[in-house]
Amino acid sequence: MASLALPTRKDEAYRYADLAALAPLWPLAVQEIRVAAGATDALAITARSDAAEARELLITLEDGASFDLRVLNAGHAYGRIAVTAVLGRGASFHFGAAQLGGGTQTLEIVTEVRHLQPDAVSRQVVRSVLGGQATGTYLGKVHVARGAIGTDGEQSIRAMLLNRTATANARPELEIYADDVKCAHGCAVGELDPQGLFYLQSRGLPPAEAKKLMLHAFIAEAFVGAPDSEALTEAALAGLENLL
Amino acid sequence: MLTIDNLSATVADKPILKGLSLNINAGEIHAIMGPNGAGKSTLGYTLGGRPGYEVTGGSVDFDGQDLLALEPHERAATGLFLGFQYPVEIPGVSNLQFLREALNAQRKVHGEEPLSGAAFIKLAKEQAGLLRFDMDMLKRPVNVGFSGGEKKRAEMVQMGILAPKLAILDETDSGLDIDALRICGEGINAIMRGPDKAVLLITHYQRLLDYVKPDFVHVLAGGRIVKSGGAELALQLEEHGYEAVAA
Ligand SMILES: Nc1ncnc2c1ncn2[C@@H]1O[C@H](COP(=O)(O)OP(=O)(O)OP(=O)(O)O)[C@@H](O)[C@H]1O
Ligand SMILES: [Mg+2]
């Protein structure tokens, strides 16, 4: 959590951070969210401003609580979102995030999901689209405490590079101290399928439109099932315009 | 309509087309046959402008325009349609959305208003109906999870919606069952027969040509057209093989 001293690159969670951009924002106020036992809640965060933004969230899910968190990290400067979720027995945490960056921007999403009790479920889907010399990072730890049997945790992390000069860092991490848990992560960094692009163009779509269509589909994966998935995807599309 | 003059092209620095010439007039149906690896798909891709297919010589005139100077999407807007031997799957992008945007992009080039959602759905229903293709499948992502034959039929629906002047159809018949072959054959006739349209069919077998009767049949071997004739040439080829007929 936030301490008073500005972190350094030696802090794992800040390894790829833009520390110069972070300094004026420091120390960060932690936004705390508590979801009562059995309750359901949701939050969508859209970062689309011209100024640097850094957010820190601490979400506590009591037994049987559900929380749906969606993030669009698509501002025009440094953008960092760090989320710690602490899951009670049978809790369910769904996290979907898209980040879109260009220029020399640094964007990062840092998560730590703590399965402290049995039978909680966590789902994380992160989609990054990076152009120019942008850097997009996902650092995500899933921690399963001793005794948190029946844990079900999944991380699906994908990044699409629009240029060879863009950088994606993706590090899903599992820290498991319990038996009988189901944890999976998938992680891929790639480029738009040139065959798909040619196929769309061969039907009359200009290259930028063809790319937009494919990226739209890619980003939408982060917002599937969200209460306001349409609005989020639309906002993401508007952000894409600047990248193509 | 299409004049290919002495066209040479390489793929990955390997010469594939080696001085190919072919003339297609409006109202004509041409068929190209030829051994595996002869360069038939390469011809289609080169005419479509696929990246990686490098023209090293010759020219292609399409309706008075230098086709090779155009980007792939501009070639489409000029009225060229390429039916793929292996249609590409595009996850997450629905057929209807993609086709509406593609059609409207083409209309824009011609200074036409975009088609409204309702007008587009009506058009898509008509064309899907012509090919007996399930509208629900058009709501699904492009070619994803389609069987080989369904992909080919979906491409014919695309062709119906986009209404090109010239269709180059690369082994549209492969993968089609007996009924689908007839339906696609009739679809090609319905969509592409006309005094201001033309078709270039790439095929290995007579079966599609039974439905879409060609005016000319060409043999492509070693990167050029080595023999041309009428519809009877396909029958001779089927009976005697390339070595005997086109040697
Ligand atoms: N990317 C590539 N790199 C190297 N060689 C290639 C590449 N693509 C095609 N070729 C070669 O070009 C030649 C022509 O291929 P093409 O696909 O045009 O043949 P075709 O006449 O369509 O054959 P088929 O009847 O089997 O479909 C083949 O020898 C093929 O191996
Ligand atoms: Mg071929």
Side-chain angles (χ1 to χ4, degrees), chain A residues 193-207 209-210 212-218 220-221 237, chain B residues 48-51 72-73 76 81-82 84 87-88 90-93 97-98 101-102 105-106 142-143 155 158 162:
Chain A
D193 172 23
Q195 295 205 48
L197 276 178
F198 174 64
Y199 194 76
L200 296 178
Q201 286 174 55
S202 76
R203 300 303 183 240
L205 282 172
E209 297 301 310
K212 216 164 83 181
L213 213 49
M214 290 173 77
L215 290 172
H216 182 175
F218 176 73
E221 293 173 0
L237 268 187
Chain B
R50 182 171 174 177
H73 66 284
F81 179 89
L82 182 59
F84 284 55
V88 181
I90 308 180
V93 176
Q97 186 191 5
F98 139 61
E101 287 192 25
Q106 291 200 24
V142 180
N143 294 321
E155 289 227 305
Q158 293 180 17
L162 298 173

Side-chain angles (χ1 to χ4, degrees), chain A residues 155-203:
Chain A
Q155 290 162 287
S156 162
I157 314 305
R158 290 174 66 195
M160 200 69 89
L161 303 181
L162 300 180
N163 316 86
R164 296 275 166 95
T165 47
T167 306
N169 305 300
R171 223 184 44 215
E173 207 183 325
L174 296 171
E175 203 177 70
I176 302 178
Y177 297 101
D179 294 329
D180 188 24
V181 301
K182 206 170 86 189
C183 284
H185 59 219
C187 177
V189 178
E191 295 171 29
L192 282 174
D193 172 23
Q195 295 205 48
L197 276 178
F198 174 64
Y199 194 76
L200 296 178
Q201 286 174 55
S202 76
R203 300 303 183 240

Side-chain angles (χ1 to χ4, degrees), chain B residues 40-42 85 170-171 202:
Chain B
K40 303 181 298 297
S41 295
T42 300
Q85 183 173 355
D170 193 353
E171 296 197 27
I202 296 171

Side-chain angles (χ1 to χ4, degrees), chain B residues 118-139:
Chain B
F120 175 75
I121 291 295
K122 183 164 174 285
L123 172 65
K125 271 194 181 135
E126 278 166 16
Q127 298 305 317
L130 185 68
L131 274 305
R132 320 258 177 96
F133 194 80
D134 189 357
M135 258 315 262
D136 281 337
M137 288 188 66
L138 286 184
K139 293 175 187 153

Side-chain angles (χ1 to χ4, degrees), chain A residues 96-185:
Chain A
Q99 46 187 2
L100 317 175
T104 55
Q105 244 181 303
T106 297
L107 295 174
E108 49 188 352
I109 288 173
V110 180
T111 66
E112 179 167 349
V113 177
R114 304 181 65 81
H115 286 258
L116 299 185
Q117 302 289 332
D119 301 324
V121 176
S122 65
R123 294 279 175 272
Q124 301 183 59
V125 178
V126 178
R127 299 290 179 262
S128 303
V129 177
L130 303 162
Q133 288 145 275
T135 300
T137 298
Y138 167 83
L139 305 175
K141 186 189 286 182
V142 173
H143 169 90
V144 181
R146 198 179 303 280
I149 55 168
T151 288
D152 179 356
E154 246 178 53
Q155 290 162 287
S156 162
I157 314 305
R158 290 174 66 195
M160 200 69 89
L161 303 181
L162 300 180
N163 316 86
R164 296 275 166 95
T165 47
T167 306
N169 305 300
R171 223 184 44 215
E173 207 183 325
L174 296 171
E175 203 177 70
I176 302 178
Y177 297 101
D179 294 329
D180 188 24
V181 301
K182 206 170 86 189
C183 284
H185 59 219

Side-chain angles (χ1 to χ4, degrees), chain B residues 58-102:
Chain B
S59 64
V60 180
D61 180 290
F62 180 44
D63 254 359
Q65 288 202 61
D66 176 4
L67 186 74
L68 302 175
L70 303 177
E71 296 289 313
H73 66 284
E74 296 169 333
R75 299 183 193 199
T78 311
L80 180 72
F81 179 89
L82 182 59
F84 284 55
Q85 183 173 355
Y86 304 107
V88 181
E89 300 189 3
I90 308 180
V93 176
S94 94
N95 282 286
L96 286 175
Q97 186 191 5
F98 139 61
L99 286 168
R100 184 175 166 203
E101 287 192 25

